[in-house]
Amino acid sequence: MTDYGHNLSFGTFITPANERPQDAVELASLTEQSGLDLVTFQDHPYQPAFLDTWTLLSWVAAKTTTVHLSGNVINLPLRPPAVLARAAASLDLLSGGRFELGLGAGAFWEAIEAMGGPRRTPGQGVDALEEAIEIIRAIWDPAGGHAVNLDGEHYRIHGAKPGPEPAHDVSIWLGAVKPRMLGLTGRKADGWLPSLPYFTLADLDRGNEIIDEAAVAAGRDAREVRRLINIQGTFGSTNQGFLKGPPGQWVEELLPFVLERGFSTFILMVDEPRAIEIYGAEVAPALREAVAAERDRAGTTSGEVVRSPKALALRREGIDYEVLPASLRVGAIEPGDRGYRKVCSTYFRAGSPGLVLAPERAEQLGDALAFAREQQVPLSIRSGGHGISGRSTNDGGIVIDVGKLNEIVVLDAESGRIRLGPGARWGDVAQALAPHGLAMSSGDYGDVGVGGLATAGGIGLLVRKHGLTIDHVVAAEILLADGTTVRASAERNAELFWALRGAGANFGIVTAFELEAYRLSDVVFADMTFEAGDLAQLLERWGQIVEEAPRELTSFLSASARSARVLSVYASEDTNAAVDALTPLLGIATVIDQQAGLAPYAALIPPHGNQHRGSSTPPLISNGFAEHFTPVISRRLASGLRSGVGSLLSIRSVGGAVNDIAPNATAYAHRHQNFNISSLAYGVPDRDFHGYWDELRTHLDGLYPSFETDLRPERLYDAFPEPTLSRLRELKARYDPDNVFNQNFAIPQIDSERRRPALV
Ligand SMILES: Cc1cc2nc3c(=O)[nH]c(=O)nc-3n(C[C@H](O)[C@H](O)[C@H](O)COP(=O)(O)OP(=O)(O)OC[C@H]3O[C@@H](n4cnc5c(N)ncnc54)[C@H](O)[C@@H]3O)c2cc1C
C-alpha cells in the first residue's frame, strides 16, 4: 500500500456511439473545456453500434488543442502493431504530443474472429501483446537507425523501417486483469489501466503487488508504472453510496486511492455533460489540493522523474545528478532515458553526454548554467545541432540545449524587425517571414539553428546582395558566465554586441536575437550540373564570372572528382536581368543538367526536421577565404579532389554587401574576400588532410569558424586576425574569465609573459 508520488491527472471515458456521431466529439471538447487532462474511448472494432475508435480519436485530436487522447483500451488483435505504432506516432505528431497508447490483449474472441482477426487464448494474448510492445517501441525509435525485425510467435516483422518518431514519449498503458498480464505491465509498460467496477479493492492491491514485483525483477523502479483507473459514479446532494454523492464525498473517497493504492489518473466513465463539468470544476482541483496537503504533511514530493536502477547505473562520473535543481528535472535527459538517442548526437558528430538539459523557458537557463558550472565535466551549448567546429555535444559532459526556445516573431512587419529564439531553424524562419514579404539570408540548409549561425556569420544564398546574417542583428539577449542576462546592441553593451557577431559562442548563451529582415520578392534560382573534366579551369571560370556579376547573384559551387553543381540565386524577380547574369555560367564546362525558375526564397531552404544521427568518425572539414580564384588555388583544389584527400568541395561566394561593412565593425573581420572555400573528407587520416590544407592555406586569407574541424591553435589566428583577436581576448577576460564557454574556437586567456594567447 503506497503512494507512488505521481502528479494527478483526470480524464473521461466516453462511449463512441455512432447513433449521433457528434455527441462523442462534443463530450470530448467539453472534457477539454472543463479543465480535464485526458479523453479516452473504448475500442471494439467489431461493434457496429460504435464509431471506429481510431478515426474518432483523430477527429477529436483535430477539434481540441490541449487535452490528451487515448484508446481505453485499443484492441490489439485487430490492429497490426507495426501499423498501430505508425498511426500512434502520426496522431501524436499531428496533435502536438497529446496521444497516449492504452492497449489491450483482446476479448470477445468470436467477434474478433468474425472480423478476420486471430483467436487467442489468454496466455497467447499476453505473449502477442509483449511482442507488439517490442515492435511498437522499435518503430517509434528511428534514432536507433536499425530496421525492425522480430521473429515472434504471433508477429513476424522483417526489415520494417522505423519512424515516424512520436512528438513526445508516448506512454503505453495496459488494461491488465490477470497475473500474467500484470507481470507484463510491470516489466514493460508505462501504466496500468484497470476499471474499478470490475475489481475488488483486494484485487487492486494484489495487482499492484504483482506489477511492483515484476518491475523490480526486470530492473525497473515500481514508480515507473503509473496507475490509472476507470471509475464510475453520479453526482448528487446526498451520500447514496461509493462515488454517489456530492463532489466533496468523491474527493474523500478517492483520496485513499492515491495515498494508499498509488493511483494517480482517474478516468470517469461518463456520457453526461453536467457530470463532466462538475468533475473538472469540483473534483479534480479539490483532490489535487487534498493530495498535495497530505504529501506535504508526509514530507514526500510530487511528480518526481523516476529512473530505473538500470538507467541510474548509466549515469556518468563528475555530475552530481542529485543536486540538479527541481526546475530542470522535468525535461532533463540522461543516458538511460528513452529519449536519449534523440539528443545525444549532432548533425555530424555522435556524442554521449552525461546529461542534456533542455529548458522550456529562458529563465530556467540561469539554473542550468549555475548547475553545469559546478560540475567537473565539459559543457556544450546547442541550438540547432548543426555545428561543425562547435562541439554542441560531448562525451560524459553536460549539454545545455536551447532548442525549445524557438520563437519566431515578426515584431514590426513594416520595418522588418523580427525576434528569434536560438532554437528556431532557418527554414522555419524563412517560411514565417514569407507571408510578410520579408526574408533573412542564413545559409543553404533549412535545418541549421539560429543560435550557432547568428553568432558566427551566416553565409547564405542572398549574401552578396544582403550581406551576412550577423549584419542584420540589431540586438541580442545573452546569459553570461556569471549568470546575469544582458541585452547587447549598438546602444547597450556595445563591445559585447560587437563580439557576439562573429565570436558569439565565446561569451555566453544567446537567448534571443533581434534582426532587421528585408523586403524580398520571389527570386530566380538556377541549378546547374557540369562535368568536372578540367576542374581547375571550371573553378577559375566560375570564380571570374561570379566576381564580375551584379551583387544580386550569389552562387554556391560544390564538386566531387566527377561533377560540379552550381546553385545560384538572383535576388530579384527581374527574369531578364537574371538570365543575363546566369547565362555566362553555362559556359564554364560541359553541362550535364540544368534548371532554373522563379521561386519564393523560403522554398529554397525548406526545413526537413531530420534526426541527428552523427557519426563516431565525423568528417574532417576545413576552410579558408580567397579574394580571387587564382590558377594556383584552382589547381590545388582540383588535385585535392582527384587524390581523394578532400572528397567534397564546397565554395560559397561572399563579397558584395558583405564587403560594404568595415572589418572592425564586427568580430567577423573577413570583409575583402570574395569566396569561402571548404572541403570535407571522410576516412582520410588527419595528418594527410591537415598537410593538404596547411599548404593550401598559404594561398588563402582567413577562415570562417563555422566550417572548421581543425582545432590546432593556429586556426584561431586565421579566424580572428589582429586586431580582432586582441579585442576579443580583452572581452573574454571581462565576460568569461573562467573560460566556461570553451567548446567553439575558444579565445584563450592572455599570457602576460609572452603577450600571446595561452592556448587552450
Ligand atoms: C548541413 C550544413 C549546412 C550548412 N550550411 C551553412 C551555410 O550555408 N552558411 C553558413 O554560414 N553556415 C552553414 N553551416 C554551418 C552552420 O552555420 C554552423 O555550423 C552553425 O554553428 C550551426 O548552428 P546550430 O545552432 O545548428 O548549431 P549547434 O550545433 O547547435 O551549435 C554550434 C555551436 O554554436 C554555439 N552556439 C549554439 N547556440 C548558441 C547560443 N544560443 N549562444 C551562443 N553560442 C551558441 C556553440 O558553441 C555550439 O557548439 C552549415 C552546417 C551544416 C551542418
Side-chain angles (χ1 to χ4, degrees):
M1 303 264 270
T2 183
D3 172 10
Y4 299 101
H6 299 133
N7 282 333
L8 297 198
S9 61
F10 297 86
T12 54
F13 175 107
I14 294 164
T15 311
N18 68 15
E19 199 182 352
R20 288 155 46 98
Q22 291 305 324
D23 280 4
V25 181
E26 279 162 21
L27 291 174
S29 295
L30 183 63
T31 302
E32 176 169 279
Q33 286 150 21
S34 304
L36 295 165
D37 311 288
L38 175 67
V39 60
T40 70
F41 304 101
Q42 53 190 305
D43 180 31
H44 297 287
Y46 33 77
Q47 169 57 271
F50 287 174
L51 295 163
D52 170 63
T53 298
W54 202 267
T55 311
L56 176 61
L57 282 165
S58 307
W59 191 272
V60 168
K63 297 268 180 193
T64 53
T65 52
T66 56
V67 76
H68 280 237
L69 312 138
S70 174
N72 191 343
V73 284
I74 293 291
N75 180 301
L76 177 67
L78 285 172
R79 302 193 187 272
V83 178
L84 181 60
R86 285 210 219 292
S90 304
L91 191 46
D92 196 52
L93 287 164
L94 288 167
S95 67
R98 293 190 286 129
F99 182 73
E100 315 296 345
L101 185 57
L103 260 184
F108 309 103
W109 292 105
E110 215 158 286
I112 290 172
E113 223 177 5
M115 292 289 288
R119 178 183 281 270
R120 290 175 182 148
T121 65
Q124 288 169 335
V126 178
D127 292 344
L129 185 54
E130 182 150 15
E131 290 174 13
I133 292 174
E134 202 170 310
I135 293 167
I136 290 168
R137 291 236 166 90
I139 294 275
W140 284 347
D141 185 22
H146 308 294
V148 182
N149 295 305
L150 184 101
D151 260 321
E153 203 170 304
H154 303 277
Y155 299 109
R156 281 179 196 85
I157 303 279
H158 289 285
K161 288 200 176 124
E165 181 174 356
H168 87 302
D169 188 6
V170 174
S171 296
I172 296 183
W173 302 327
L174 300 188
V177 180
K178 301 262 174 61
R180 276 192 68 184
M181 181 109 153
L182 290 162
L184 173 62
T185 308
R187 285 199 308 284
K188 295 272 167 77
D190 304 302
W192 178 34
L193 177 46
S195 292
L196 186 53
Y198 308 115
F199 280 75
T200 64
L201 293 183
D203 290 340
L204 289 180
D205 294 343
R206 183 71 195 124
N208 268 335
E209 261 171 44
I210 296 173
I211 290 170
D212 290 358
E213 279 166 21
V216 171
R220 306 180 75 194
D221 186 314
R223 292 173 301 163
E224 287 180 71
V225 186
R226 178 176 273 272
R227 319 297 154 119
L228 310 94
I229 192 161
N230 293 319
I231 57 173
Q232 221 170 20
T234 50
F235 291 107
S237 51
T238 56
N239 185 340
Q240 302 286 319
F242 181 72
L243 297 186
K244 289 183 183 145
Q249 177 196 327
W250 282 54
V251 172
E252 261 172 50
E253 289 171 350
L254 291 178
L255 188 60
F257 278 79
V258 182
L259 301 176
E260 293 166 24
R261 300 200 153 80
F263 288 93
S264 50
T265 299
F266 295 93
I267 303 172
L268 181 60
M269 303 161 96
V270 63
D271 289 321
E272 210 260 293
R274 185 70 195 127
I276 294 176
E277 286 168 350
I278 297 173
Y279 191 55
E282 299 185 44
V283 177
L287 185 57
R288 276 202 179 96
E289 210 172 288
V291 168
E294 289 300 327
R295 285 179 179 166
D296 271 356
R297 207 166 297 147
T300 55
T301 46
S302 291
E304 273 291 298
V305 176
V306 179
R307 291 191 170 84
S308 66
K310 261 200 278 188
L312 294 176
L314 295 174
R315 286 182 159 181
R316 306 292 296 263
E317 293 267 311
I319 302 176
D320 189 353
Y321 294 88
E322 296 308 323
V323 302
L324 184 67
S327 62
L328 299 171
R329 289 189 181 212
V330 176
I333 300 188
E334 300 183 11
D337 293 347
R338 252 192 325 242
Y340 181 72
R341 267 216 287 250
K342 197 174 162 188
V343 298
C344 62
S345 295
T346 59
Y347 184 78
F348 276 124
R349 181 175 297 273
S352 50
L355 181 64
V356 178
L357 299 172
E360 304 216 332
R361 298 188 313 276
E363 305 82 71
Q364 294 170 305
L365 277 173
D367 282 353
L369 181 59
F371 171 80
R373 288 202 58 170
E374 291 295 309
Q375 313 307 308
Q376 308 306 313
V377 293
L379 168 64
S380 303
I381 310 301
R382 182 190 303 158
S383 287
H386 274 67
I388 291 171
S389 56
R391 301 293 188 263
S392 60
T393 189
N394 55 47
D395 177 21
I398 294 172
V399 174
I400 297 183
D401 185 328
V402 292
K404 290 181 187 156
L405 309 181
N406 58 359
E407 65 173 344
I408 302 171
V409 184
V410 176
L411 296 172
D412 180 5
E414 202 51 44
S415 67
R417 184 93 163 199
I418 58 173
R419 184 179 167 89
L420 304 179
R425 308 302 178 113
W426 287 107
D428 293 319
V429 173
Q431 293 197 343
L433 298 189
H436 301 277
L438 296 170
M440 174 55 58
S441 176
S442 50
D444 58 7
Y445 200 68
D447 284 358
V448 166
V450 165
L453 183 133
T455 46
I459 301 175
L461 292 168
L462 307 171
V463 71
R464 289 183 78 242
K465 170 72 177 162
H466 290 289
L468 301 169
T469 310
I470 54 168
D471 298 339
H472 299 273
V473 173
V474 289
E477 283 154 28
I478 177 165
L479 175 68
L480 299 171
D482 67 5
T484 55
T485 297
V486 298
R487 189 175 165 89
S489 65
E491 294 78 36
R492 275 155 72 177
N493 300 303
E495 274 293 275
L496 179 62
F497 182 55
W498 171 84
L500 288 182
R501 290 168 297 156
N506 260 283
F507 294 95
I509 307 174
V510 178
T511 56
F513 296 85
E514 283 177 25
L515 297 95
E516 265 165 19
Y518 27 84
R519 307 238 133 243
L520 190 73
S521 58
D522 281 357
V523 297
V524 178
F525 78 93
D527 191 350
M528 305 168 181
T529 308
F530 301 92
E531 279 177 11
D534 187 344
L535 187 66
Q537 191 184 61
L538 179 156
L539 292 174
E540 255 184 88
R541 285 179 177 168
W542 172 79
Q544 198 178 347
I545 292 168
V546 172
E547 265 193 67
E548 286 167 5
R551 57 174 58 185
E552 277 73 17
L553 185 83
T554 294
S555 191
F556 286 9
L557 183 152
S558 54
S560 66
R562 275 196 294 278
S563 63
R565 182 177 175 203
V566 174
L567 190 68
S568 308
V569 171
Y570 192 85
S572 153
E573 56 187 353
D574 180 346
T575 46
N576 290 333
V579 168
D580 287 348
L582 290 164
T583 305
L585 289 171
L586 290 169
I588 63 172
T590 307
V591 177
I592 300 175
D593 195 11
Q594 56 127 334
Q595 55 168 317
L598 258 183
Y601 168 69
L604 303 182
I605 53 160
H608 304 96
N610 289 339
Q611 195 75 50
H612 285 147
R613 297 262 168 81
S615 159
S616 51
T617 49
L620 297 170
I621 301 175
S622 274
N623 82 100
F625 287 103
E627 201 168 341
H628 309 293
F629 253 93
T630 60
V632 67
I633 293 176
S634 304
R635 277 200 308 274
R636 294 283 192 288
L637 292 173
S639 70
L641 271 191
R642 272 197 307 272
S643 69
V645 72
S647 41
L648 188 68
L649 184 63
S650 228
I651 305 168
R652 291 169 170 84
S653 54
V654 276
V658 180
N659 295 357
D660 293 345
I661 308 280
N664 63 355
T666 63
Y668 176 107
H670 313 289
R671 301 290 186 171
H672 63 278
Q673 300 92 328
N674 288 308
F675 302 98
N676 178 271
I677 300 166
S678 64
S679 72
L680 170 152
Y682 277 103
V684 174
D686 284 26
R687 206 187 41 232
D688 295 357
F689 189 72
H690 289 160
Y692 166 65
W693 266 91
D694 286 349
E695 202 284 323
L696 188 59
R697 274 184 209 292
T698 59
H699 309 285
L700 300 178
D701 177 4
L703 171 159
Y704 180 41
S706 283
F707 295 146
E708 191 60 58
T709 55
D710 179 356
L711 297 179
R712 290 175 299 166
E714 305 89 282
R715 297 295 78 85
L716 197 67
Y717 304 104
D718 297 332
F720 304 114
E722 291 294 2
T724 302
L725 184 58
S726 292
R727 194 167 163 189
L728 284 172
R729 283 162 53 199
E730 275 168 30
L731 290 167
K732 182 77 172 175
R734 191 183 329 161
Y735 287 104
D736 184 19
D738 299 327
N739 201 17
V740 173
F741 302 104
N742 62 6
Q743 298 285 302
N744 191 359
F745 274 72
I747 310 290
Q749 302 297 305
I750 294 168
D751 173 346
S752 55
E753 283 283 293
R754 288 183 292 146
R755 300 301 298 165
R756 296 268 292 158
L759 303 166
V760 281

